[in-house]
Amino acid sequence: MKNTEQHRSIAENIKENYRLYLAALVIVLIAEMIGMKKIQAGSALIIIYPMLFAIVISVLLGRDIFGFFKEKEAKKASSLVLVAITPFMAKIGVLAGSNLPKLVDIGPALAFQELGHVGTIFLALPVALLLGIKKEAIGATSSTCRDKDYGLICHLYGANSPEARGALSIYIIGFLIGTIYIGFLASIVAATDIFHPLALAMACGIGSGVMMAAASSTLAAIYPEYADQIVMLAGASDMLAAIVGIYFTLFISLPLTRKLYFFLEPRISPKHTRGTEQINTMKAGN
């Protein structure tokens, strides 16, 4: 009886959201048909992955442009993101176990790069609050907002929470302009001739395969004599950022962001962006 009810609920869910599932399949097929595109801009190599095309097509089909997707379908798609990203989170766990000896051999230098992500908190969070952004700023500034981070935020706060919306916004922006930006950034930093090519290769890994590929490909083209080492170190750095980064976000950067948010928000956030109840509570506290 229980299995019958479960099969019926699955069938009803598919019937109710068939447009959403069908559209997702078509969008993925179109994006894969377009494929990966490489654009050489000076010394920088810009790599555009199929997922970028999928995001652009989905945005165009949204209710604010062509209106193919309705508001109800958009909310349903938001709740399904966690389901779609769960296999990726499991993959990170398996990757960590199978590559543990390799990670130990690489040394602590790659692990310490996670400390640099704290900069997004102290630099970006105050700016977000000054602009009137609320709890979305917690999700947007607590990490680099890549797959692992967005999955963690959705798990902790829910896919429809303000924190998840903030993380998703930066996640999408990262795909739209992140690969272009980091490709140019890698070539600009390399041109200063301050850092060793292998140090720059380690910096390519932020937990995003797309950005890592764009930055490391640019560096490999600039330093052909280090090309193999750059690719290897960038890949190891990216893998470590994905594995260590999720724990760093969970235990360090996210709690720090929350504490800093609740300290700064009443002090620097514009009053006109606060709800009436919140303002009355603050007056009562004073």
Side-chain angles (χ1 to χ4, degrees), residues 20 63 69-79 160:
L20 183 62
R63 63 188 183 93
F69 294 121
K70 309 302 179 186
E71 183 176 0
K72 181 180 179 181
E73 292 172 324
K75 290 182 178 180
K76 190 70 176 179
S78 177
S79 64
N160 292 320

Coordinates of all heavy atoms in Angstrom, one line a residue, residues 20 63 69-79 160:
L20 N 8.5 21.8 -16.5 CA 9.8 22.2 -15.9 C 10.8 21.1 -16.2 O 11.9 21.5 -16.6 CB 9.6 22.3 -14.4 CG 10.8 22.7 -13.6 CD1 11.3 24.1 -14.0 CD2 10.5 22.7 -12.1
R63 N 10.1 34.3 -16.0 CA 8.8 35.0 -16.1 C 9.0 36.5 -16.3 O 8.1 37.2 -16.8 CB 8.0 34.8 -14.8 CG 8.7 35.4 -13.5 CD 8.0 35.0 -12.3 NE 8.6 35.5 -11.1 CZ 8.2 36.7 -10.5 NH1 7.2 37.4 -11.1 NH2 8.8 37.1 -9.4
F69 N 8.4 30.3 -18.0 CA 8.3 29.7 -16.7 C 7.5 30.6 -15.8 O 7.7 31.9 -15.8 CB 9.7 29.5 -16.0 CG 10.5 28.5 -16.7 CD1 11.8 28.8 -17.2 CD2 10.1 27.2 -16.8 CE1 12.6 27.9 -17.8 CE2 10.9 26.2 -17.4 CZ 12.1 26.5 -17.9
K70 N 6.5 30.1 -15.1 CA 5.7 30.9 -14.2 C 6.3 31.0 -12.9 O 7.3 30.3 -12.6 CB 4.3 30.3 -14.1 CG 3.6 30.0 -15.5 CD 3.5 31.3 -16.3 CE 2.9 31.0 -17.7 NZ 2.9 32.2 -18.6
E71 N 5.8 31.8 -12.0 CA 6.3 32.0 -10.7 C 6.3 30.7 -9.9 O 7.3 30.4 -9.2 CB 5.5 33.1 -9.9 CG 6.1 33.4 -8.5 CD 5.4 34.5 -7.8 OE1 4.5 35.1 -8.4 OE2 5.8 34.8 -6.7
K72 N 5.3 29.9 -10.0 CA 5.1 28.6 -9.3 C 6.2 27.7 -9.7 O 6.9 27.0 -8.9 CB 3.8 28.0 -9.5 CG 3.5 26.7 -8.8 CD 2.2 26.1 -9.1 CE 2.0 24.8 -8.4 NZ 0.6 24.2 -8.7
E73 N 6.5 27.6 -11.0 CA 7.6 26.8 -11.6 C 8.9 27.2 -11.1 O 9.8 26.4 -10.9 CB 7.5 26.7 -13.1 CG 6.2 26.0 -13.6 CD 6.0 26.1 -15.1 OE1 6.4 27.1 -15.6 OE2 5.6 25.1 -15.7
A74 N 9.1 28.5 -11.1 CA 10.4 29.1 -10.6 C 10.7 28.7 -9.2 O 11.8 28.3 -8.8 CB 10.4 30.6 -10.8
K75 N 9.7 28.7 -8.3 CA 9.9 28.3 -6.9 C 10.1 26.8 -6.8 O 10.9 26.4 -6.0 CB 8.6 28.7 -6.1 CG 8.5 30.2 -5.9 CD 7.2 30.6 -5.1 CE 7.1 32.1 -4.9 NZ 5.9 32.4 -4.0
K76 N 9.4 26.1 -7.6 CA 9.6 24.6 -7.6 C 11.1 24.3 -8.1 O 11.7 23.4 -7.5 CB 8.6 24.0 -8.6 CG 8.6 22.4 -8.5 CD 8.0 22.0 -7.2 CE 7.9 20.5 -7.1 NZ 7.3 20.0 -5.8
A77 N 11.5 25.0 -9.1 CA 12.9 24.7 -9.6 C 13.9 25.1 -8.5 O 15.0 24.4 -8.3 CB 13.2 25.5 -10.8
S78 N 13.6 26.1 -7.7 CA 14.6 26.5 -6.6 C 14.7 25.4 -5.6 O 15.8 25.1 -5.1 CB 14.0 27.8 -6.0 OG 14.9 28.1 -4.9
S79 N 13.6 24.8 -5.3 CA 13.6 23.7 -4.3 C 14.3 22.4 -4.8 O 14.8 21.6 -4.0 CB 12.2 23.4 -3.8 OG 11.4 22.8 -4.8
N160 N 14.7 28.2 -0.3 CA 14.0 29.4 -0.5 C 14.3 30.5 0.5 O 13.6 31.5 0.6 CB 12.5 29.1 -0.4 CG 12.0 28.2 -1.5 OD1 12.4 28.4 -2.7 ND2 11.1 27.3 -1.3

